[in-house]
Amino acid sequence: MLNGFKDFILRGNVISMAIGLAVGTAFTAVVTGFSKAFITPLIGLATGSVGNFNDAQFHVGKTVFPYGLAISAAIAFAITAAVLYFLIVAPLAKVQARFAKEEAADPKSEKRDCPRCFTEIPAIASRCAHCTSEVEPVATTLEKLGVPAAR
């Protein structure tokens, strides 16, 4: 039982996820601190909230609605998402696209209809499996596979 737990913990994806979670938490704290220290005071100055937008609120009866905190959290989220996307997700997608191998074409995956009996046959077929009539293979499919058109 303990060996199974050890194998689960020592899997590469579990450790990577734990590291990513720790880094993400630290990064979120940095972005939240930056947002509270610079962005929300600038918004507060622009809107006349005496330099700190976090304290912005309105009252309905005796209930206080601190909308400044909600807007500050939304700004921190937007900054975090933008930085993660533009500095991590987009560059990694480009790297993965560069090193991605092109999948081999499956000759039977492309289909067409038999001109005589109208049943579906592979595009590279030279004879229909249903009516046994001879058909001409599709040249573009043969080119994709690197097979000469004339057999």
Side-chain angles (χ1 to χ4, degrees):
M1 182 176 222
L2 289 178
N3 286 335
F5 180 72
K6 182 183 76 169
D7 292 341
F8 171 74
I9 292 298
L10 294 179
R11 278 189 199 159
N13 55 359
V14 173
I15 293 172
S16 297
M17 184 181 67
I19 292 170
L21 186 63
V23 170
T25 303
F27 180 73
T28 301
V30 169
V31 169
T32 302
F34 174 77
S35 177
K36 286 182 180 178
F38 294 105
I39 304 297
T40 51
L42 288 174
I43 292 173
L45 285 174
T47 60
S49 294
V50 191
N52 190 356
F53 194 68
N54 287 332
D55 296 334
Q57 57 188 356
F58 67 90
H59 302 275
V60 176
K62 293 185 179 183
T63 306
V64 177
F65 292 92
Y67 68 91
L69 292 174
I71 293 175
S72 296
I75 291 170
F77 172 76
I79 292 171
T80 303
V83 169
L84 287 174
Y85 178 77
F86 289 114
L87 295 182
I88 296 174
V89 174
L92 281 179
K94 286 184 181 180
V95 169
Q96 286 178 341
R98 179 177 288 169
F99 292 112
K101 293 182 180 178
E102 194 172 311
E103 293 183 19
D106 182 17
K108 294 184 179 181
S109 65
E110 292 188 37
K111 304 287 185 183
R112 66 178 174 142
D113 289 336
C114 172
R116 300 244 194 304
C117 67
F118 302 108
T119 57
E120 191 175 71
I121 60 173
I124 61 167
S126 59
R127 188 173 291 271
C128 177
H130 301 280
C131 68
T132 68
S133 62
E134 289 189 23
V135 293
E136 193 67 33
V138 177
T140 56
T141 305
L142 293 173
E143 289 174 8
K144 287 180 188 176
L145 296 173
V147 177
R151 289 188 179 187

